[in-house]
Amino acid sequence: MKKILVTGGSGLVGRHLKEILPEARYISSSDYDLRSEADVRKLCEEGWDHIVHLAARVGGIIENINYPAEFIEQNLLMNTLLLKYARLNGVPRLTAILSTCIYPDVFDRYPLTEEDLHKGEPQKTNFAYAIAKRSLAVQIDAYRQQYGLGYNYLIPCNLYGEYDKVDEKRSHYLTALLGKIIRAERENRTEIDLLGTGTPLRQFMYGGDLARAIKACIDSEIIESFNVAVDENRSIREIAEIALRACGKHDFTLRFDEVSPDGQFRKDVSNARLKRLLPGFEFTSLEDGIRKVYEYYKEHEIV
Ligand code: NAP
């Protein structure tokens, strides 16, 4: 059996992966601080066949605007140390996770493909995070080129899932939206206030789908890097409308504040390479995924 290590094991993606790959070892920052050279050295000395590198300093727009120094410093440190000691300890396979929000902010053709990653500046609001993630891509490609290692990265679109952070300041858009719906329901309100204009376009994927793509990558020994994203690219408003339907809130209305920053207007990526590498890979529909997460939040009284 392969000896697999998953960093970021306590996060949204890590917990989804654990459901379908329970035999791997899952670590969080309380086990090993990946910014510490001593910790990373010790961790990699244990000897692994495959490292899935999920750990990152991540956050929403406001956090990215307020803490850019932390985003670049912590991510560069974690990624550099982990790759360095993985290689020095002969780890043959490593799969890291980037994000579609690091692609060029504006481009002359959509959907973006994997070749477009460095062809333009990322969005201003998450510039530091994006540059750290792009550096990880460069570092992995360099390790493949110089050391011949089977290291790769997956680039997922926006995620949501049962295990996302739910506090309003840090959570991602769909998780925050579900929190607002549940709170409104509890307080007998039918109006949902959302930030921005509702016009930006997004691909939203259920976290369990990314976990299945990671597992397939390990099982099939895939060493190419590829985007992991759903086919549909919908407006924020349309996604909110689908969420209301999925939660059975047909009488609810949406109100956008029109002044808060919208973030990147669009960043839809092609999933053609994924379809070639993993033929028959199916995504969870947005409505089904949202319903699952909504029911989980209510059942576990998470909001
Ligand atoms: P998450 O829920 O925020 O979890 C982050 C994980 O990283 C946690 O396990 C955290 O451990 C760990 N971590 C943070 N700092 C660490 C440190 N210094 N040392 C060791 N571990 C540390 O993240 P996620 O949403 O699962 O994201 C996983 C990956 O997918 C990330 O690389 C992210 O950039 C990428 N991604 C996420 C999304 C999304 O929408 N969620 C979209 C695209 C890409 P603690 O719990 O101990 O803090």
Side-chain angles (χ1 to χ4, degrees):
M1 193 160 70
K2 281 183 194 159
K3 200 174 161 196
I4 301 168
L5 169 72
V6 181
T7 72
S10 54
L12 181 159
V13 183
R15 290 181 64 190
H16 275 290
L17 190 58
K18 197 170 186 176
E19 289 178 349
I20 55 170
L21 191 68
E23 65 274 24
R25 166 106 185 270
Y26 292 81
I27 59 156
S28 72
S29 65
S30 52
D31 305 306
Y32 292 88
D33 183 346
L34 299 181
R35 296 166 300 179
S36 149
E37 186 152 11
D39 277 16
V40 177
R41 189 190 297 124
K42 189 158 148 251
L43 177 66
C44 291
E45 276 169 3
E46 290 183 36
W48 304 99
D49 296 313
H50 198 136
I51 295 178
V52 178
H53 179 37
L54 306 174
R57 169 81 167 93
V58 297
I61 295 185
I62 306 298
E63 281 224 319
N64 270 279
I65 292 171
N66 290 340
Y67 307 107
E70 290 181 21
F71 279 87
I72 192 151
E73 182 184 295
Q74 295 186 17
N75 286 313
L76 284 178
L77 261 177
M78 284 194 248
N79 300 339
T80 302
L81 290 172
L82 191 70
L83 260 81
K84 174 178 170 181
Y85 285 99
R87 178 186 77 81
L88 290 175
N89 286 281
V91 178
R93 292 285 325 273
L94 182 146
T95 300
I97 306 297
L98 312 185
S99 169
T100 57
C101 67
I102 70 169
Y103 269 102
D105 185 18
V106 280
F107 207 60
D108 50 15
R109 164 188 50 72
Y110 288 90
L112 292 143
T113 69
E114 291 81 355
E115 284 77 23
D116 300 326
L117 188 58
H118 304 289
K119 293 182 183 165
E121 285 191 9
Q123 234 273 326
K124 288 269 175 286
T125 49
N126 66 353
F127 197 87
Y129 169 83
I131 293 299
K133 286 280 189 188
R134 285 192 191 186
S135 302
L136 177 56
V138 172
Q139 197 174 356
I140 286 174
D141 290 338
Y143 274 45
R144 290 168 64 96
Q145 189 185 327
Q146 187 174 336
Y147 304 123
L149 291 164
Y151 292 8
N152 69 342
Y153 47 87
L154 309 190
I155 314 181
C157 60
N158 283 80
L159 301 174
Y160 65 96
E162 285 86 340
Y163 313 120
D164 201 4
K165 301 177 196 79
V166 289
D167 72 286
E168 275 195 74
K169 281 206 188 74
R170 298 193 68 197
S171 63
H172 297 97
Y173 166 69
L174 247 178
T175 310
L177 172 63
L178 284 174
K180 285 178 185 183
I181 293 173
I182 294 172
R183 273 189 290 274
E185 182 184 323
R186 200 182 291 138
E187 292 157 15
N188 291 319
R189 289 184 285 108
T190 55
E191 236 168 28
I192 301 292
D193 289 317
L194 293 168
L195 305 180
T197 62
T199 55
L201 303 172
R202 291 291 180 269
Q203 288 166 302
F204 261 100
M205 174 169 66
Y206 179 57
D209 292 356
L210 175 59
R212 283 190 297 110
I214 295 170
K215 184 171 184 303
C217 191
I218 298 170
D219 293 344
S220 316
E221 305 268 344
I222 292 168
I223 55 166
E224 266 185 75
S225 297
F226 58 96
N227 294 326
V228 187
V230 296
D231 296 307
E232 301 82 14
N233 187 36
R234 304 180 197 272
S235 75
I236 289 287
R237 175 181 287 279
E238 195 187 346
I239 292 165
E241 287 164 356
I242 292 173
L244 290 182
R245 265 205 312 280
C247 303
K249 303 291 171 233
H250 305 287
D251 55 335
F252 276 34
T253 50
L254 301 168
R255 206 163 53 183
F256 288 89
D257 78 352
E258 311 272 341
V259 291
S260 296
D262 264 340
Q264 208 161 351
F265 177 65
R266 67 184 291 183
K267 51 182 175 176
D268 41 307
V269 296
S270 160
N271 59 15
R273 196 182 285 182
L274 171 137
K275 288 187 171 167
R276 171 171 59 74
L277 293 167
L278 301 172
F281 187 89
E282 299 261 350
F283 291 98
T284 305
S285 78
L286 192 55
E287 195 153 347
D288 287 350
I290 291 177
R291 191 175 302 114
K292 258 202 264 197
V293 178
Y294 168 73
E295 281 164 8
Y296 179 90
Y297 283 174
K298 289 196 55 168
E299 188 189 333
H300 293 84
E301 296 179 2
I302 283 177
V303 178

